[in-house]
Amino acid sequence: MLISRLAKHLRSANWGLLGLELLVVVVGLYLAFQLDRWAEDWKASRQEAVYLAQLHDELAAADENARLTGERYRETLDEAREILVLLMQQPGSEPLSDKQCETIFALSTLSIVEWRPVTVVTVDEIISNGMLSELDDAELRRMLFSLQAETTSLSAFMGFVRGQLNVLMDDYPDLMPRGIDEQQQYFIRCNTDGMRRSQPFINHLASNRGRYGGLSTRWNSVQEVLHQSHVRLDSLLGIEHPQG
């Protein structure tokens, strides 16, 4: 229909109407493109708002969990140092407490370690979907990419540490006997003086503490970038972040 009208105007040399028809076509196409672009921008903006809201909830929860886990790591490292100092004393000195014996067991199995590396599902989703580059804030993009890299590294390091552990209960069953008591309760005991007389045991315990310390350091790196991401997102959303 439009083409036939244009042809008619050309034949009649009605240049004014021809120009008006062309103008209508150009303006119509321009408006159509602008509407499509506006719709895409609006959709992207809505998607980003959804991602940021999800990120805020997940980062807040993960930040607190990582902080508490980091505190447990530091406490355990301090306890292990005290145990090693205690084992350096002469046989017949103060024995290990039940809690200290449990710490040795934990360091030998890393059962006290949070074996689920920090995972923020929305970060993985944003990166896997190629949406990271769509986020407006460049600093937040950098932090989220760094967070995924740190958590991936932590997960790999956890697997490495687990394979390198000295399982002291199996290597030194006479120093750490375990079993089931009369009440059908699992028990593990520590032969403190026997440990003091065994330098290999002390060396292996110190090695386990060192590996645990390396893991704690990696965890602190993850916790730091996680906390920075949380603070940055709070700032972008206009949420007052608690100090400390």
Side-chain angles (χ1 to χ4, degrees):
M1 182 68 70
L2 177 60
I3 294 176
S4 63
R5 289 204 307 270
L6 290 174
K8 180 180 178 182
H9 294 324
L10 284 173
R11 288 193 298 272
S12 63
N14 193 340
W15 299 107
L17 290 177
L18 176 61
L20 181 61
E21 292 282 358
L22 290 174
L23 180 62
V24 170
V25 171
V26 171
V27 171
L29 289 174
Y30 174 78
L31 290 177
F33 283 129
Q34 286 298 105
L35 285 174
D36 285 343
R37 182 175 180 180
W38 177 83
E40 289 297 323
D41 290 344
W42 180 82
K43 182 179 179 181
S45 178
R46 290 272 298 180
Q47 185 63 64
E48 180 177 5
V50 170
Y51 277 140
L52 292 182
Q54 292 175 346
L55 269 175
H56 177 263
D57 293 342
E58 292 180 22
L59 286 176
D63 189 8
E64 178 64 10
N65 176 68
R67 183 186 66 80
L68 295 175
T69 300
E71 289 179 356
R72 291 201 306 272
Y73 285 3
R74 289 187 291 273
E75 290 172 359
T76 301
L77 286 170
D78 290 341
E79 291 173 1
R81 183 185 299 108
E82 294 175 1
I83 291 170
L84 287 168
V85 171
L86 190 60
L87 292 180
M88 295 299 179
Q89 298 177 6
Q90 294 296 319
S93 302
E94 178 185 356
L96 294 174
S97 66
D98 290 342
K99 185 175 184 299
Q100 289 171 326
C101 188
E102 292 171 0
T103 297
I104 295 177
F105 177 84
L107 286 172
S108 300
T109 60
L110 287 191
S111 60
I112 199 169
V113 168
E114 179 67 61
W115 280 114
R116 294 171 300 166
V118 176
T119 301
V120 182
V121 175
T122 303
V123 172
D124 294 338
E125 182 180 345
I126 288 174
I127 293 178
S128 64
N129 290 344
M131 285 293 298
L132 184 63
S133 61
E134 302 298 322
L135 298 182
D136 286 337
D137 189 74
E139 185 65 10
L140 181 62
R141 293 199 303 268
R142 181 192 67 79
M143 289 178 175
L144 295 182
F145 184 81
S146 178
L147 176 59
Q148 189 189 58
E150 289 283 357
T151 55
T152 300
S153 176
L154 175 63
S155 179
F157 191 69
M158 281 181 168
F160 170 77
V161 170
R162 175 175 282 179
Q164 297 296 314
L165 282 175
N166 298 303
V167 185
L168 300 179
M169 297 76 63
D170 295 340
D171 295 340
Y172 302 91
D174 55 326
L175 302 183
M176 298 189 71
R178 52 181 171 167
I180 304 294
D181 61 20
E182 294 80 3
Q183 285 74 39
Q184 300 302 304
Q185 298 295 317
Y186 178 83
F187 72 85
I188 184 166
R189 299 190 179 97
C190 286
N191 180 350
T192 306
D193 284 344
M195 293 175 180
R196 288 183 171 126
R197 296 187 181 96
S198 176
Q199 189 61 50
F201 177 89
I202 294 174
N203 290 348
H204 286 158
L205 176 59
S207 295
N208 279 2
R209 181 185 180 276
R211 294 185 179 98
Y212 186 85
L215 189 56
S216 177
T217 299
R218 292 292 185 96
W219 186 274
N220 289 339
S221 297
V222 172
Q223 198 276 328
E224 179 62 25
V225 69
L226 178 61
H227 181 69
Q228 291 175 356
S229 301
H230 182 198
V231 172
R232 182 65 179 175
L233 185 54
D234 277 356
S235 176
L236 293 174
L237 296 177
I239 298 173
E240 183 177 353
H241 190 86
Q243 298 299 316

